[in-house]
Amino acid sequence: MKKFIAVAVVVFLAAGVAYAKNYEVSKKAGEFDVVVTIDKNPPVTGDNGVTVSVKDARGAVVKDAKVVVDYSMPAMPGMPAMNYKADAVQKGDEYKAVMNLSMAGSWNIAVKINAGGKNGNMKFTVDAK
């Protein structure tokens, strides 16, 4: 019995180490390198904090950009499409926004960046629980 408990504890701890607290996506968006971090992994129904980090081609932090997080769920039988937008606010070297995912399921996320006359767009999908 002690051996079983010891193995269970090791498996539980290993699973905890593998579990990431935040959901993170890194992609190119035009000339920008963008990292989007959602404060819950997986994202959940309700409020999810979003942090966007934007760097230029030289690796310098991009400040004073307009960053918008568009999130949507396509139409399904008996339900119209849902489309929302959150303007991200600059805080230090990052941009912060809150997405309110109104239901569980697959959401399309588009992060749009405009800085110094250049535009970038990155897209990804999350499954909210």
Side-chain angles (χ1 to χ4, degrees):
M1 183 66 176
K2 288 182 183 180
K3 187 175 182 179
F4 173 78
I5 292 172
V7 170
V9 168
V10 169
V11 169
F12 179 76
L13 290 175
V17 170
Y19 175 78
K21 180 181 175 189
N22 298 322
Y23 184 93
E24 187 173 285
V25 178
S26 300
K27 286 189 174 186
K28 279 291 252 187
E31 296 182 27
F32 304 113
D33 290 314
V34 181
V35 177
V36 176
T37 305
I38 301 173
D39 67 352
K40 296 173 184 78
N41 188 10
V44 298
T45 301
D47 287 345
N48 293 267
V50 179
T51 301
V52 180
S53 171
V54 183
K55 293 186 178 176
D56 64 17
R58 297 172 302 179
V61 172
V62 174
K63 294 189 177 187
D64 300 322
K66 178 168 176 51
V67 177
V68 177
V69 179
D70 285 335
Y71 52 106
S72 62
M73 181 178 275
M76 291 184 259
M79 186 187 84
M82 293 180 277
N83 297 293
Y84 304 100
K85 177 174 84 168
D87 293 325
V89 175
Q90 185 177 352
K91 300 219 175 165
D93 290 346
E94 301 173 321
Y95 299 86
K96 306 264 185 185
V98 174
M99 290 188 308
N100 186 298
L101 304 177
S102 57
M103 66 182 291
S106 184
W107 287 85
N108 300 315
I109 313 294
V111 178
K112 299 175 182 179
I113 300 148
N114 182 308
K118 297 178 183 174
N119 294 309
N121 189 7
M122 96 180 251
K123 296 180 180 181
F124 61 99
T125 302
V126 299
D127 289 319
K129 302 297 177 198

